[in-house]
Amino acid sequence: MGVLITVLAVCAVAGLILLALSVRNVQQYEKGVVFRFGRLLPDIRGPGLRVIRPIGDRMRKVSVQTEVLGIPPQGSITADNVTLTVDAVVYFKVIDPVKALVNVRNYPAAVSQIAQTSLRSVIGRADLDTLLSDRDHINAELKKVMDAPTEEPWGLRIERVEIKDIALPESMMRSMSKQAEAERERRARVIAADGEFQASQRLTDAAATMADTPGALQLRLLQTVVDVSAEKNSTLVMPFPVEMLRFFERQSGETDGEPAGRRVHRTPRRAALSTSAVFPEPTTPAPALTPSVSPPEERADSRAEVARERRDNWPTRRDAEESLSG
């Protein structure tokens, strides 16, 4: 009896061990692929408790979640011969667990290598301006290049590829900043010139309107006076029309009995006469000084007398005015 109980206990323990070896737990985000003596079984085990043979069967679990793989910085040369460093990130997932296990070994490392080579090739075909301004196009091209060798043969789907950072040399960054500054200055000058042009057109239209309507100029004059007087200053500036000055000039010419044009033509002649009359050439020549030996006091007295005679013979302003009136 004791031997029978021992045998039953041993069988029960062996059954529990075999049952523990036969049961596998598959998570919701996983797929189970079973190999029996190294041969692939066609059935893929879904999530839950799954039973396999304890001897000869081996289950591999494959995650079907989206995985994120960072691409290390890659140095490359663009199509316009600019050296830069680019790093990116790849989002992919397994859509066929059998191909991911059978056709490729360590598929995350394979995807990383494919991403690095594809990144360098795509950057080599694009220029710097496209790489900086149109990243969506570069990302789409990267995804297209990586989909070809991974989706069909490896059972992987590249969901998204994004360029994280682009490191440019310092010299290139300085050149780009100078170019951007020059472009902003050019735009500012163009905008200022366009504003001046529009303002000149508006002023021309306003001048034409005021010329057609004389009352508009008077209203504008009154508005200017109101604006100046609103600042509480003690000085009031009133514009004086040029036509009024011309009217007074004509009236003064008619009062003198001579037309304005004639007076204008005679003005230079009178000025010339007055200049020659006021400052004529001396009529009395200065007496010649004969060299003689005399004391310094006598020479000084003779020089004073000569200067006095010249001053007396020089015509005065009254003489010039009498000559003009005569």
Side-chain angles (χ1 to χ4, degrees), residues 29-30 62-68 92-94 107 159:
Y29 54 86
E30 294 176 340
V62 180
S63 176
V64 294
Q65 290 177 317
T66 300
E67 297 187 20
V68 182
F92 71 96
K93 67 182 300 184
V94 177
Y107 60 86
E159 294 185 343

Side-chain angles (χ1 to χ4, degrees), residues 9 14 22-23 25 29 36 40 48 69 80 87 103 139 171 212-213 218 233 235 247 275 281 287-288 324:
S22 301
V23 176
N25 184 23
Y29 54 86
R36 180 169 294 172
L40 177 67
L69 181 64
D80 50 354
D87 56 350
N103 296 346
N139 296 337
S171 58
D212 296 338
T213 308
Q218 186 67 23
N233 50 7
T235 303
F247 173 76
T275 304
E281 294 293 334
L324 288 176

Side-chain angles (χ1 to χ4, degrees), residues 52-63:
I52 60 174
R53 291 181 182 182
I55 300 174
D57 287 355
R58 185 182 177 186
M59 177 181 288
R60 294 284 302 274
K61 300 176 183 178
V62 180
S63 176

